Amino acid sequence: MLITAIIPTYNEAENLPILVSYLLSSPLQELRIVVVDDKSPDETGRVAESLAATHPGRIEVIHRPRKMGFGTACVSGFRLALESGAEAILQMDADLSHSPDELSKMYAALESCDVVIGSRYVAGGRLDERWPLWRSGLSAFGNAYARTILGLPLRDVTSGFRLWRREALQSLPLEHVKSNGYVFLVETAYLAHRLGYRFSEVPIYFAERQFGQSKMNLNLQLEAAFRVWQVLWSHRKVRRQGTEVRSQE
């Protein structure tokens, strides 16, 4: 199965070569990578091009003209992956918080579902021990908040480590996705749920980044809290009728 990994980047020049090396040495031989860079000041885009030249045919780079946001970066990568014939699409962060060692069990889980979530909050999943109590508490609260409002059958609604079947991702009305921060993850999970796709949550260890700075800030957290209600309203009538997706706002 041809898998394409989508990796949005902004100032990840130190982490990206390490992640790419791990991914390309994984047991999944048919794995390709799409790096979507938002004109990183630390020249992550240049690093990505160097990696693409070193591994011809396995890495593509999308250079965007400015910092345009996480959600639209994912959508750009999704569209390229689908156009290139990917049979499964992997989402993951560039900061080494998502271990490529988990990919084999995520791939195995995809045999019986449409979307695999690398989950911190199912049995066996865990957070880095270095996370302070306030941060782990905020993450747990955010998941419970979104899960309750949207009625999602998931423990880790905000996980950015996901493996999609082509058919599931292709059916999402991405043109109606409005979120551009990390609530994008909540919105796409909710759409997949509304369309009746099957989820599986695989336990993962979520590591703290070693290099660079986290992109999470108060503005993104406030956007997420507000946007969850907009997601509920905007997609309340999304449904599947036969092979057709109906979306009404």
Side-chain angles (χ1 to χ4, degrees), residues 5-248:
I6 309 303
I7 307 174
T9 58
Y10 187 75
N11 287 347
E12 298 289 359
E14 293 177 285
N15 290 316
L16 188 62
I18 301 171
L19 176 59
V20 166
S21 177
Y22 285 158
L23 285 172
L24 295 184
S25 61
S26 77
L28 304 179
Q29 297 299 312
E30 291 189 273
L31 190 144
R32 305 290 183 267
I33 297 170
V34 174
V35 177
V36 187
D37 186 65
D38 272 6
K39 202 173 184 179
S40 298
D42 73 345
E43 298 192 339
T44 301
R46 180 186 58 79
V47 172
E49 286 292 353
S50 176
L51 292 167
T54 304
H55 304 281
R58 299 202 68 182
I59 302 173
E60 292 189 67
V61 186
I62 299 175
H63 295 278
R64 306 208 302 171
R66 61 188 184 280
K67 189 176 182 181
M68 299 170 69
F70 174 78
T72 58
C74 289
V75 171
S76 295
F78 290 165
R79 287 178 172 152
L80 179 58
L82 292 170
E83 290 168 4
S84 302
E87 298 169 275
I89 297 88
L90 174 69
Q91 285 178 262
M92 66 186 308
D93 294 341
D95 62 5
L96 305 179
S97 59
H98 299 145
S99 172
D101 292 341
E102 312 284 6
L103 291 179
S104 293
K105 63 183 181 182
M106 291 176 70
Y107 179 75
L110 196 65
E111 292 291 323
S112 57
C113 68
D114 303 297
V115 190
V116 179
I117 307 288
S119 179
R120 299 160 290 182
Y121 299 118
V122 294
R126 58 195 178 100
L127 295 167
D128 194 303
E129 295 81 2
R130 292 170 291 177
W131 270 37
L133 185 61
W134 69 265
R135 188 178 176 192
S136 57
L138 184 61
S139 175
F141 172 78
N143 267 280
Y145 177 83
R147 184 173 66 243
T148 301
I149 291 169
L150 299 174
L152 286 168
L154 297 171
R155 298 299 302 172
D156 199 342
V157 179
T158 60
S159 171
F161 200 12
R162 299 177 177 181
L163 185 60
W164 297 79
R165 281 190 177 275
R166 174 187 180 87
E167 296 78 13
L169 190 58
Q170 199 168 31
S171 294
L172 294 192
L174 293 174
E175 68 278 7
H176 294 296
V177 174
K178 305 300 183 185
S179 305
N180 199 27
Y182 285 87
V183 75
F184 172 84
L185 299 166
V186 177
E187 188 166 6
T188 49
Y190 182 61
L191 281 167
H193 173 62
R194 292 286 303 172
L195 293 172
Y197 288 113
R198 301 164 298 164
F199 291 90
S200 177
E201 289 190 87
V202 169
I204 64 164
Y205 172 67
F206 186 86
E208 181 63 280
R209 68 162 55 238
Q210 298 181 44
F211 306 107
Q213 294 183 335
S214 172
K215 311 303 186 296
M216 184 57 68
N217 56 43
L218 181 60
N219 287 336
L220 289 176
Q221 292 166 358
L222 292 175
E223 181 213 13
F226 175 69
R227 279 288 302 153
V228 167
W229 291 99
Q230 289 185 324
V231 166
L232 177 66
W233 178 257
S234 296
H235 303 308
R236 68 196 185 282
K237 295 183 180 179
V238 170
R239 63 194 186 281
R240 178 176 294 279
Q241 292 187 343
T243 57
E244 180 182 3
V245 174
R246 295 289 180 87
S247 180
Q248 296 177 325

